[in-house]
Amino acid sequence: MDYQKTYTYPSTLNQTTSDTPAPAPYTPQQTIPQYAPSQPYPTPPTPLQPTQPQIVPQPVPPINFQEQSYIENILRLNKGKVGTFYFTYTDSSEWRDRVYKGVIEAAGRDHLIISDPKTGKRYLFQMIYFDWAEFDEEIQYQYPYR
């Protein structure tokens, strides 16, 4: 469809009829009246100075903060201890279930680093595959108060 041929604009838009007077053209001498208040705006009063002495905040005594017992926090508390760590890799038929024994080097929200005490080799594991851990000694469970 050809829009230029279909739609044509009437040629009478630019013409004025004799019934309607043509508007006067704008001349630069015309100005818009400026409105100014007859009285100046009042200024707000200045605030008064307080007559009471300033209150100095007292130091807050420390709260007995206890870390929540997420797995990564418990593993972090037991850094340096030897443990046996069980992992399940659900997407792999070859690596379905794996067991690693080593020393906890570090633990984060999504990872665990253990080292093999015999070779010194370090391993980084994703916590998403972690199942559980076993320790041959007592484990630390609560954070000591600071």
Side-chain angles (χ1 to χ4, degrees):
M1 177 182 248
D2 189 5
Y3 290 103
Q4 292 177 344
K5 292 181 181 176
T6 306
Y7 296 105
T8 57
Y9 296 99
S11 60
T12 58
L13 286 178
N14 294 334
Q15 298 175 357
T16 58
T17 61
S18 60
D19 297 341
T20 310
Y26 173 76
T27 58
Q29 290 82 20
Q30 295 176 340
T31 59
I32 300 172
Q34 298 292 322
Y35 294 100
S38 59
Q39 295 181 359
Y41 291 107
T43 57
T46 56
L48 298 176
Q49 296 296 326
T51 57
Q52 296 178 351
Q54 293 285 340
I55 298 173
V56 178
Q58 297 296 322
V60 178
I63 298 173
N64 290 338
F65 176 75
Q66 186 169 354
E67 185 74 30
Q68 295 181 350
S69 61
Y70 292 110
I71 290 174
E72 69 264 13
N73 294 336
I74 297 167
L75 292 171
R76 197 176 298 119
L77 283 171
N78 292 282
K79 180 178 173 182
K81 293 186 180 179
V82 177
T84 305
F85 304 92
Y86 296 85
F87 291 84
T88 300
Y89 303 96
T90 56
D91 297 335
S92 175
S93 58
E94 295 176 38
W95 284 61
R96 179 76 178 152
D97 297 308
R98 293 289 182 170
V99 180
Y100 304 95
K101 189 167 181 118
V103 177
I104 298 174
E105 296 287 328
R109 180 174 288 179
D110 65 345
H111 66 278
L112 171 66
I113 300 173
I114 63 172
S115 63
D116 184 351
K118 295 177 184 171
T119 63
K121 196 175 214 179
R122 288 176 172 73
Y123 300 92
L124 172 65
F125 297 101
Q126 291 181 324
M127 290 297 288
I128 192 169
Y129 301 115
F130 178 75
D131 291 326
W132 76 88
E134 293 177 351
F135 295 90
D136 293 334
E137 60 183 297
E138 186 176 336
I139 61 173
Q140 181 71 26
Y141 184 72
Q142 293 183 353
Y143 273 86
Y145 294 109
R146 294 178 186 151

